[in-house]
Amino acid sequence: MKKIRIILVNILLILVLVSCNRASLNNYEQSVAKEDTMYIDNPDQGFYSPVCIQVVDDFKDKDYVINDKTRLYHLRMDLSAFSQKFNNQEDMLLRDKDLNNIDAMMSKYLKKEKNVIIRFAYDHNYEGKKDQEPSISMMEAHIKQLAPILNKYENCITAIEAGMVGPWGEMHSSACANKETINKIIDTYLKNVNNIPILVRTPKMIYNYLGITLDDISSYVIKEDSIAYRLGIFNDGYLGSNSDLGTYTNRELETKWLANQTNHLPYGGEVVVPNSTLHDIDKCALEMKLMNLSYLNQAWNDEVIKKWKNTTYNKKCGDDVNFYGVSSYDYINAHLGYRFVLKKSTLSYNDTSDIKVNLEIENKGFGNLLRNKKIEAYVLYDDENLEKYDINHKTKNLEKLEFTIPNIGKKGKIYLSIKNNDDTYPIRLANKEIYDDNLKANLIGRI
């Protein structure tokens, strides 16, 4: 009997150990594709294509271009026909047909899942004329007329550059380019346009709106519940001089302060002054990262763009070894905005458990993801049946994702989908050959 008891105890211990082993999860670290050093076509960032559009009676498709290669467009909307300074008659409101034309144009950008930065101004053909504006009350009225259309297309509008005043809408030179007028323009945009970032030409314009000065900014933080949280700058004097052609009063102090805004807002503009050394890649790469640079004009300045194409990123410029030997232009192009690289993918499961997925993702871009995205896991079972699981309905943080999906005992491929709520504007991870064009999702593991 004693031997029988010992045998039974041993059998029981074996069963317990087997049971415990079955209950524990096994970790399967998946092989991860290397980073792709090519430009990744993602929403809300990159080198933009400028398009000048006259808002007049014969406003037609021919006035703008949408192509397969360009994701981001800079729409320079010419409202000169509605200013007495140009039409020599009177300041006029936009008519229904004008608003309908703008609506129809925006619908085409949205349908093709393009993004736009949009600026309205009264400088005819954006030729650099000053003092072309209507009265401030008419400018406010125009913004209020345009606001419903801008709100309707927030999914495709990366930012609104406040503009309205001065040559090229750059908010300087004209007689009305003063604190009072610009504060009214800012306030009208912020109170009538929802969610979309509003960008002004200089940080001083932000201080003026906030009622502070340069001396205050070291201790001043714009809180998330403030209407000014959406207020940033566009820099069309970028890297042209130590002050960026008058953009900054104190570059070091102001860039450090503005970084708190540009970490959640678009920041970009135009590089200028070909003989400036500030846009040498070994000098500008660090500030591009500090300022969360997300967009630049691909056409201006053409001499600076040419310089970037004829120089290379190397160890003197930074520690991104994968890009050593790549042209400065290609390095910048690949890093404008966010650039998410999957570093590690681990699946934890056994025969009886759900599958726990742990992803480590690094943002190697200059900027950040600026919109909340719907995060889903797709599982393609046996290359036939696709199941979708909502794992995080809305988020901007992708650096560390953990989620659980059911284990139905079948082989399959797991994909990560990062899209807008309506399944548009998908995001690609910057790893080689993991993005599925049909699913609009990224392969992260196999069961």
Side-chain angles (χ1 to χ4, degrees):
M1 286 293 294
K2 186 175 181 180
K3 288 183 178 180
I4 293 173
R5 286 196 195 97
I6 293 172
I7 292 171
L8 289 174
V9 168
N10 287 336
I11 291 173
L12 183 60
L13 286 172
I14 291 170
L15 289 173
V16 169
L17 288 172
V18 169
S19 177
C20 289
N21 185 59
R22 287 178 61 84
S24 65
L25 297 179
N26 296 313
N27 292 327
Y28 303 95
E29 188 172 327
Q30 307 282 300
S31 60
V32 175
K34 292 183 179 179
E35 180 181 0
D36 193 338
T37 56
M38 299 297 289
Y39 162 73
I40 306 297
D41 181 21
N42 274 324
D44 291 312
Q45 60 191 35
F47 278 98
Y48 70 67
S49 178
V51 185
C52 186
I53 298 169
Q54 290 185 26
V55 181
V56 291
D57 290 350
D58 62 350
F59 173 38
K60 302 293 182 184
D61 289 356
K62 63 183 177 62
D63 293 322
Y64 62 97
V65 177
I66 300 177
N67 62 65
D68 292 337
K69 294 181 179 180
T70 304
R71 166 61 68 106
L72 184 62
Y73 295 82
H74 193 281
L75 303 186
R76 298 165 181 189
M77 308 296 291
D78 175 1
L79 298 179
S80 60
F82 306 95
S83 173
Q84 184 272 334
K85 300 287 181 59
F86 177 76
N87 66 35
N88 295 316
Q89 297 174 30
E90 61 179 349
D91 293 343
M92 299 188 303
L93 291 170
L94 283 81
R95 296 153 295 189
D96 287 345
K97 59 185 174 183
D98 304 313
L99 297 169
N100 290 337
N101 282 337
I102 295 172
D103 187 289
M105 176 197 70
M106 292 299 301
S107 71
K108 294 181 184 297
Y109 284 100
L110 181 65
K111 184 177 180 180
K112 292 183 178 291
E113 296 189 32
K114 304 297 185 179
N115 289 109
V116 304
I117 298 159
I118 192 164
R119 184 196 302 175
F120 295 90
Y122 302 92
D123 174 12
H124 183 62
N125 281 337
Y126 278 64
E127 293 174 346
K129 303 183 194 73
K130 64 180 181 178
D131 296 322
Q132 300 297 297
E133 302 82 6
S135 67
I136 179 58
S137 60
M138 185 57 71
M139 285 191 276
E140 290 176 289
H142 286 161
I143 294 171
K144 290 176 182 178
Q145 284 186 289
L146 293 163
I149 298 172
L150 300 173
N151 289 329
K152 179 179 178 181
Y153 292 102
E154 69 171 80
N155 275 352
C156 80
I157 299 177
T158 299
I160 298 167
E161 294 180 348
M164 307 299 281
V165 169
W168 310 286
E170 289 189 7
M171 311 183 79
H172 59 71
S173 299
S174 284
C176 66
N178 54 52
K179 176 180 176 179
E180 180 184 8
T181 299
I182 290 172
N183 275 355
K184 287 182 178 180
I185 289 170
I186 293 171
D187 202 53
T188 306
Y189 266 122
L190 288 176
K191 289 180 178 176
N192 290 277
V193 175
N194 306 319
N195 303 321
I196 304 170
I198 307 298
L199 311 181
V200 293
R201 181 61 189 84
T202 69
K204 185 178 181 181
M205 294 176 184
I206 301 179
Y207 314 152
N208 286 342
Y209 183 74
L210 294 171
I212 63 174
T213 68
L214 181 64
D215 295 334
D216 301 317
I217 66 172
S218 295
S219 59
Y220 194 99
V221 177
I222 302 177
K223 296 182 179 180
E224 194 167 349
D225 60 358
S226 168
I227 192 172
Y229 192 70
R230 287 189 288 129
L231 189 56
I233 75 164
F234 66 96
N235 189 346
D236 282 358
Y238 191 46
L239 303 175
S241 70
N242 191 55
S243 68
D244 281 0
L245 306 188
T247 301
Y248 300 120
T249 302
N250 182 321
R251 187 187 196 98
E252 182 178 358
L253 185 63
E254 290 176 287
T255 52
K256 184 178 179 181
W257 183 80
L258 281 167
N260 290 323
Q261 286 295 88
T262 59
N263 70 358
H264 63 270
L265 295 175
Y267 171 74
E270 296 177 334
V271 285
V272 292
V273 187
N275 62 359
S276 170
T277 60
L278 291 178
H279 38 62
D280 292 350
I281 188 62
D282 59 324
K283 295 183 177 68
C284 66
L286 286 176
E287 187 179 295
M288 288 176 171
K289 179 65 176 176
L290 169 69
M291 288 294 289
N292 305 290
L293 186 70
S294 53
Y295 70 88
L296 287 173
N297 186 352
Q298 68 178 3
W300 189 260
N301 179 287
D302 53 340
E303 289 299 314
V304 179
I305 301 298
K306 182 178 179 181
K307 179 177 91 169
W308 282 343
K309 290 183 177 181
N310 290 329
T311 57
T312 57
Y313 177 87
N314 54 52
K315 63 182 180 180
K316 293 181 180 179
C317 310
D319 58 2
D320 202 340
V321 295
N322 290 339
F323 284 85
Y324 286 171
V326 171
S327 78
S328 304
Y329 178 88
D330 288 339
Y331 173 78
I332 293 168
N333 194 23
H335 290 80
L336 287 172
Y338 54 87
R339 180 180 178 84
F340 293 113
V341 180
L342 179 62
K343 307 296 288 186
K344 186 177 180 181
S345 176
T346 304
L347 308 184
S348 303
Y349 66 99
N350 59 33
D351 293 342
T352 61
S353 74
D354 287 340
I355 301 167
K356 293 184 178 180
V357 182
N358 186 301
L359 304 179
E360 293 182 18
I361 299 173
E362 181 182 1
N363 181 9
K364 298 188 70 175
F366 297 141
N368 297 308
L369 182 60
L370 305 176
R371 300 177 190 263
N372 284 325
K373 291 286 183 176
K374 178 176 67 173
I375 314 297
E376 292 181 303
Y378 294 175
V379 185
L380 184 62
Y381 294 106
D382 299 325
D383 293 324
E384 292 181 356
N385 301 315
L386 183 69
E387 294 290 340
K388 298 181 180 181
Y389 304 99
D390 188 352
I391 57 175
N392 192 330
H393 190 61
K394 288 184 178 181
T395 187
K396 292 181 184 178
N397 182 14
L398 300 180
E399 277 75 2
K400 193 171 183 64
L401 289 179
E402 297 180 1
F403 55 90
T404 301
I405 57 177
N407 183 358
I408 65 172
K410 290 185 178 181
K411 293 182 179 180
K413 299 176 182 177
I414 305 176
Y415 293 85
L416 185 70
S417 166
I418 312 164
K419 298 177 183 175
N420 282 0
N421 229 20
D422 59 357
D423 291 323
T424 60
Y425 292 91
I427 288 178
R428 297 171 180 248
L429 300 181
N431 299 76
K432 291 183 177 180
E433 299 178 355
I434 70 169
Y435 187 76
D436 188 295
D437 282 307
N438 293 320
L439 296 177
K440 307 296 183 187
N442 305 272
L443 179 64
I444 58 170
R446 290 176 170 83
I447 307 169

